[in-house]
Amino acid sequence: MRSRVLRRAMYLHHLLTLRCPMHTSNGPFQPQTSGDEIQTACPVRSSDSPFFVPPKSAAGPPQAPAAPEKQQSTLSKLNPLNYMFASISQERAPNQTLDLPVDRELSTIPRGDSEGNWEYPSPQQMYNAMLRKGYTDTPQDAVEAMVAVHNFLNEGAWNEIVGWERVFSRGLLNGWGKCRRGEENLAMELAKEEYSEQNGTAPATPPPRLLRFQGRPQELTPKAQILQALGRLYPAKFGTKPPFDRHDWYVMRETPSGPKEVRYVIDYYSGPPEPTGEPVFYLDIRPALDSPTAAVERLMRWGGDVWWRASGGDVRNQNQN
């Protein structure tokens, strides 16, 4: 479903142009060749690394000459959880004239690979990442606002995903019981369930956890492609700019039969600003169509809302009250 997110921040037009600098697009970004290149490390360490060379012993037979060490590829330096370099420098960049904070904000998003929550990049890391991707014209005094918007949108995306998970983590039948009365009553259904869990009259729903994520800004989702095609045919009704970013988030869902990995797709749209000048973003978040179950979940949530309104559910609900 598409949610509306607003945030006041400076230089947001620059953010929309740069997309999310902390993620790769079609492939890993290439390291710069300057002397102040950001140091990175392979996420595979110690003896597990294919580049590990055991230390030579003082005693023993002579060893054969070692083969020339292979040059480490850029892809091998990426963290497989988020397709970012394993380490992004907190050091001041060359020619940087403004001090940027190095503190990292802790998100509310639980990690799936360990205890604790994911951490957002610091403004200094964000700036270094932008420089590494070639955005040398980034205003230094706008980086803190960019980080704030980046974090704000991620928190909004996670809240939407948690909503989907609370609807369907207990199965399709339980999910339909919540969706059949439309979106306007869904929040009330979830609030009743949460109240029952707190009172101990219903089993608690284990919260989802984010396993990994990937930015794919150059790849339109099938839904975005369809909307763009409809916009060309019927511009008055469907005309809209393509999303300025796309993320794929892999979530660990706790079901009655055990944990299950679910992929969510997120399209980031920018809308006309508010009369007060506040920028407007729309996040279109839904489970990816990786399985028949995901397709049914999307159909239930959309179809339940359409049926409720088309069948006069609002009127019946008002008469009952």
Side-chain angles (χ1 to χ4, degrees), residues 19-204:
R19 301 185 177 91
C20 177
M22 303 306 293
H23 306 294
T24 59
S25 54
N26 290 335
F29 47 82
Q30 299 297 324
Q32 296 177 347
T33 56
S34 64
D36 296 296
E37 180 182 1
I38 300 173
Q39 298 297 318
T40 61
C42 177
V44 182
R45 294 174 180 166
S46 187
S47 57
D48 294 331
S49 171
F51 306 101
F52 173 75
V53 179
K56 295 182 179 180
S57 174
Q63 300 291 330
E69 184 178 353
K70 296 180 181 179
Q71 184 176 2
Q72 193 171 354
S73 67
T74 302
L75 184 60
S76 68
K77 301 176 183 179
L78 298 179
N79 184 339
L81 296 180
N82 53 17
Y83 298 90
M84 287 168 46
F85 279 85
S87 177
I88 301 178
S89 174
Q90 291 269 35
E91 298 297 325
R92 189 185 182 97
N95 302 321
Q96 181 177 333
T97 60
L98 183 67
D99 289 333
L100 293 175
V102 296
D103 295 332
R104 302 182 63 180
E105 180 182 347
L106 190 65
S107 76
T108 63
I109 306 174
R111 295 180 66 101
D113 62 323
S114 62
E115 297 296 328
N117 294 354
W118 287 87
E119 281 187 308
Y120 291 123
S122 69
Q124 184 65 63
Q125 286 179 313
M126 177 75 82
Y127 184 62
N128 288 337
M130 289 179 172
L131 295 180
R132 188 158 198 169
K133 295 196 70 175
Y135 299 117
T136 57
D137 60 341
T138 303
Q140 297 175 23
D141 57 351
V143 174
E144 289 189 63
M146 292 177 187
V147 171
V149 173
H150 174 273
N151 300 354
F152 177 79
L153 292 180
N154 281 343
E155 292 292 323
W158 181 248
N159 288 335
E160 288 288 322
I161 290 175
V162 169
W164 275 93
E165 289 297 298
R166 288 196 62 86
V167 173
F168 292 109
S169 62
R170 293 184 175 178
L172 294 178
L173 183 61
N174 184 274
W176 174 246
K178 301 169 185 172
C179 295
R180 62 186 180 85
R181 299 181 68 242
E183 284 292 311
E184 67 178 34
N185 294 302
L186 180 59
M188 181 61 68
E189 296 294 330
L190 294 178
K192 290 179 181 178
E193 183 180 77
E194 186 175 359
Y195 180 78
S196 299
E197 292 176 0
Q198 293 175 351
N199 287 342
T201 57

Side-chain angles (χ1 to χ4, degrees), residues 274-285:
E274 292 289 309
T276 57
E278 293 178 319
V280 175
F281 301 100
Y282 296 94
L283 306 186
D284 192 357
I285 304 168

Side-chain angles (χ1 to χ4, degrees), residues 178-239:
K178 301 169 185 172
C179 295
R180 62 186 180 85
R181 299 181 68 242
E183 284 292 311
E184 67 178 34
N185 294 302
L186 180 59
M188 181 61 68
E189 296 294 330
L190 294 178
K192 290 179 181 178
E193 183 180 77
E194 186 175 359
Y195 180 78
S196 299
E197 292 176 0
Q198 293 175 351
N199 287 342
T201 57
T205 302
R209 307 182 72 86
L210 179 61
L211 293 171
R212 61 191 185 277
F213 52 91
Q214 182 181 13
R216 303 168 65 182
Q218 304 300 328
E219 303 176 44
L220 289 181
T221 61
K223 181 178 180 180
Q225 294 178 25
I226 293 173
L227 290 177
Q228 289 303 300
L230 290 174
R232 289 190 290 270
L233 295 175
Y234 308 102
K237 184 174 180 62
F238 296 101

